Amino acid sequence: MKKIGIIGYGWLGERLASSLSGKYTLATTTTTESKVNLLNNKGIHAVMASFPDYQLTEPLSQWGEVKNMEVLIITIPVSEKSCCVSSLYNRIQNLSAFIGDFKGQMFLMSSTGVYPDIAKEFTEEDVPLEKISGERMLRNKYPQLNILRLGGLMGDNRLLKNYNVGNLDHAVNHIHYADISRIISEMIKQKSESKLYNVTAPVHPAKSQVINAQKNLLDEEEFEVKGKKVLSSKLVSELNYTFQYPDPRSFHL
């Protein structure tokens, strides 16, 4: 059974682990000792680790489990929106010390936030990874790295109706966590390497339409959906992938 490491057992990491358990042996990192004990009791080998955005006096020790892993999934943020470029460099250096010279299949959970907020349909070619510091730094260190630019993470307790949102006539670029797990599983199966994919549900309704669907309200009027749409057509084409949740209006069902 393949061994998979998940760096960052947060909201997404937890759901990825739940989906992948049973098919793979899992190891993960978390930031609290209580979570380490909880995960180890569930059969997931967990260690406490964090990746600060400053230079450490002593480099992080390499993760003991990593030498046995065939796949590594990175869910911690490595974007300029979370820190400046110099701090980002330090974070990636700390992460690299932890995982060492890993040669297996790798995935970085990036974000569609790399695209400017203008009314346009975006593909991966519009903003190459070379223009995104975190993506570029990690790809330079790990040429085999697959980069998945995720839309807004939704499903379970994450529903748009629970948030205070503006621009209700603007399109959503959402993704159900179940599709992220299925896409990673398919890429593992196909042994994908060095790929860059947008990961968004192919249907882009307006925010108001999603909220109304979640409140069981009918949309009575037709209107133009504004704003940017991030397209996942490259992923669909290359992986021959069919979304389990293609329309964010049904994520709650």
Side-chain angles (χ1 to χ4, degrees), residues 70-142:
E70 294 171 83
V71 180
L72 192 59
I73 302 170
I74 301 167
T75 72
I76 62 169
V78 287
S79 69
E80 290 175 52
K81 289 191 175 181
S82 61
C83 54
C84 64
V85 175
S86 59
S87 297
L88 185 60
Y89 174 80
N90 290 330
R91 176 174 293 176
I92 289 174
Q93 288 295 103
N94 292 328
L95 173 63
S96 300
F98 186 70
I99 61 178
D101 188 23
F102 185 74
K103 299 294 187 186
Q105 200 176 19
M106 287 183 74
F107 296 86
L108 171 66
M109 303 298 103
S110 187
S111 169
T112 55
V114 302
Y115 298 105
D117 194 14
I118 57 176
K120 172 178 162 53
E121 291 187 340
F122 285 97
T123 68
E124 294 84 353
E125 287 71 30
D126 289 308
V127 180
L129 69 90
E130 289 79 12
K131 292 187 176 180
I132 307 301
S133 298
E135 294 180 356
R136 183 183 69 249
M137 290 179 196
L138 265 177
R139 177 65 74 77
N140 285 343
K141 283 184 172 291
Y142 304 98

Side-chain angles (χ1 to χ4, degrees), residues 93-211:
Q93 288 295 103
N94 292 328
L95 173 63
S96 300
F98 186 70
I99 61 178
D101 188 23
F102 185 74
K103 299 294 187 186
Q105 200 176 19
M106 287 183 74
F107 296 86
L108 171 66
M109 303 298 103
S110 187
S111 169
T112 55
V114 302
Y115 298 105
D117 194 14
I118 57 176
K120 172 178 162 53
E121 291 187 340
F122 285 97
T123 68
E124 294 84 353
E125 287 71 30
D126 289 308
V127 180
L129 69 90
E130 289 79 12
K131 292 187 176 180
I132 307 301
S133 298
E135 294 180 356
R136 183 183 69 249
M137 290 179 196
L138 265 177
R139 177 65 74 77
N140 285 343
K141 283 184 172 291
Y142 304 98
Q144 78 273 29
L145 180 72
N146 294 302
I147 299 168
L148 303 184
R149 290 175 175 171
L150 307 181
L153 302 177
M154 292 291 168
D156 276 354
N157 57 339
R158 285 198 177 185
L159 297 175
L160 197 60
K161 70 176 183 179
N162 298 332
Y163 297 87
N164 183 21
V165 297
N167 297 322
L168 291 175
D169 57 350
H170 282 51
V172 299
N173 295 284
H174 287 172
I175 182 66
H176 195 287
Y177 68 87
D179 274 306
I180 301 172
S181 297
R182 291 175 76 240
I183 288 164
I184 290 173
S185 293
E186 184 59 32
M187 292 179 73
I188 292 172
K189 179 182 173 184
Q190 296 192 23
K191 300 181 179 179
S192 303
E193 289 195 342
S194 308
K195 299 294 186 181
L196 171 63
Y197 290 138
N198 295 331
V199 183
T200 57
V203 181
H204 300 270
K207 296 176 188 178
S208 64
Q209 293 173 318
V210 175
I211 292 170

